């Protein structure tokens, strides 16, 4: 009868060594291929802002197609915006707003766009809100969507008669801050929304959109 021959210890060690090398090569590739949850939430928030702003602007609330032309622009827009989304907390009654450039509107300077966008980011970083569902407080209008993203800012109390113009285009924007991981380590992303619904992204958001994104990143000159 033929004798059955098993693997020797040396052969097993060689097989294990080969598997270890394969695992070392594939592991980083697998992790790199896996989507980053914060980046997925960021892109979702970015497209949400665009779609929701368009929906609000074209609603019966703004028959003139101007987000500033209502009795209480900040509160009205906050409620109209949050009503479109699935929120688990909202407080549009807050009495404070994000003040930029000594006024209630952010002014984008196309001739110094990098500085402008960094300024937009800096105000969101300086006004980060704590979780109201855990006892956190803030006087800024804000809400939390069902996916755990924090939204705040929503200051539309700028005076259209005092708007800054560049080549005949009003360049005043309200500041909207979005924190994709709530009170996590990721810093907030800043956006500007103009009276006519145009969305401007801050410096950080612009960099994230450049990473494999096919969407258009708006500037004032486009």
């Amino acid at each position: 009868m033929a004798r059955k021959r098993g693997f020797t210890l040396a052969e097993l060690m060689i097989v294990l060594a080969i598997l270890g090398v394969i695992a070392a090569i594939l592991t980083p590739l697998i992790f790199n291929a896996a989507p980053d949850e914060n980046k997925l939430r960021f892109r979702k928030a970015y497209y949400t802002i665009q779609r929701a702003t368009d929906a609000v602007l074209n609603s019966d609330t703004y028959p003139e197609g101007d987000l500033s032309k209502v009795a209480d622009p900040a509160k009205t827009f906050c409620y109209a915006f949050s009503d479109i989304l699935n929120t688990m907390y909202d407080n549009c009654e807050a009495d404070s707003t994000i003040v930029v450039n000594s006024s209630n509107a952010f002014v984008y300077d196309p001739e110094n766009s990098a500085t402008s966008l960094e300024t937009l980011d800096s105000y969101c970083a300086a006004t980060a809100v704590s979780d109201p569902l855990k006892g956190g407080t803030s006087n800024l209008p804000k809400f939390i969507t069902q996916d755990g993203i924090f939204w705040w800012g929503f200051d539309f109390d700028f005076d259209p008669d005092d708007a800054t113009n560049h080549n005949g285009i009003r360049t005043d924007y309200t500041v909207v801050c979005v924190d994709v991981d709530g009170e996590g380590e990721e810093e907030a992303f800043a956006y500007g929304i103009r009276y006519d619904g145009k969305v401007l992204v801050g410096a950080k958001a612009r960099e994230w959109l450049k990473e494999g994104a096919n969407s258009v990143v708006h500037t004032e000159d486009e």
Side-chain angles (χ1 to χ4, degrees):
M1 295 180 63
R3 295 177 60 186
K4 294 183 179 179
R5 182 176 178 274
F7 291 106
T8 65
L9 180 59
E11 290 172 330
L12 287 174
M13 294 298 290
I14 293 173
V15 172
L16 290 175
I18 294 173
L19 291 176
V21 171
I22 294 175
I25 295 174
L26 294 180
T27 298
L29 296 177
I30 293 173
F31 277 107
N32 289 335
D36 182 286
E37 185 175 353
N38 282 344
K39 289 187 177 181
L40 292 177
R41 286 183 174 184
F42 160 74
R43 294 190 185 281
K44 177 181 178 182
Y46 171 68
Y47 293 118
T48 296
I49 285 180
Q50 291 186 314
R51 291 195 301 269
T53 300
D54 286 341
V56 169
L57 186 65
N58 293 305
S59 68
D60 294 337
T61 303
Y62 300 97
E64 297 184 54
D66 189 329
L67 294 173
S68 69
K69 292 186 176 181
V70 290
D72 194 337
K75 187 183 297 184
T76 300
F77 181 77
C78 183
Y79 274 124
F81 196 95
S82 63
D83 284 346
I84 293 176
L85 310 181
N86 294 318
T87 61
M88 57 182 177
Y89 172 90
D90 65 72
N91 179 15
C92 293
E93 297 291 336
D95 56 6
S96 294
T97 53
I98 297 178
V99 179
V100 185
N101 295 340
S102 301
S103 66
N104 283 336
F106 167 76
V107 178
Y108 173 70
D109 181 3
E111 296 179 359
N112 195 6
S113 60
T115 300
S116 292
L117 298 181
E118 289 172 1
T119 301
L120 189 60
D121 282 348
S122 69
Y123 280 89
C124 285
T127 59
V129 301
S130 55
D131 191 344
L133 298 177
K134 298 179 180 178
T137 59
S138 171
N139 289 328
L140 293 170
K142 59 188 175 296
F143 56 83
I144 303 175
T145 46
Q146 294 287 348
D147 49 15
I149 298 178
F150 285 18
W151 308 71
W152 70 90
F154 301 98
D155 166 23
F156 269 97
D157 284 336
F158 53 82
D159 186 347
D161 295 329
D162 296 330
T164 299
N165 287 269
H166 179 77
N167 293 334
I169 301 175
R170 280 174 50 180
T171 59
D172 45 327
Y173 289 79
T174 187
V175 180
V176 175
C177 305
V178 178
D179 195 331
V180 297
D181 63 347
E183 290 185 314
E185 297 180 356
E186 194 65 60
E187 293 182 358
F189 293 92
Y191 299 88
I193 301 179
R194 202 167 65 182
Y195 74 102
D196 58 359
K198 183 173 182 178
V199 177
L200 181 76
V201 300
K204 181 182 178 185
R206 175 167 292 203
E207 288 305 312
W208 279 45
L209 285 170
K210 287 180 179 178
E211 296 180 11
N214 294 320
S215 58
V216 175
V217 180
H218 296 294
T219 67
E220 186 67 45
D221 296 326
E222 293 177 347

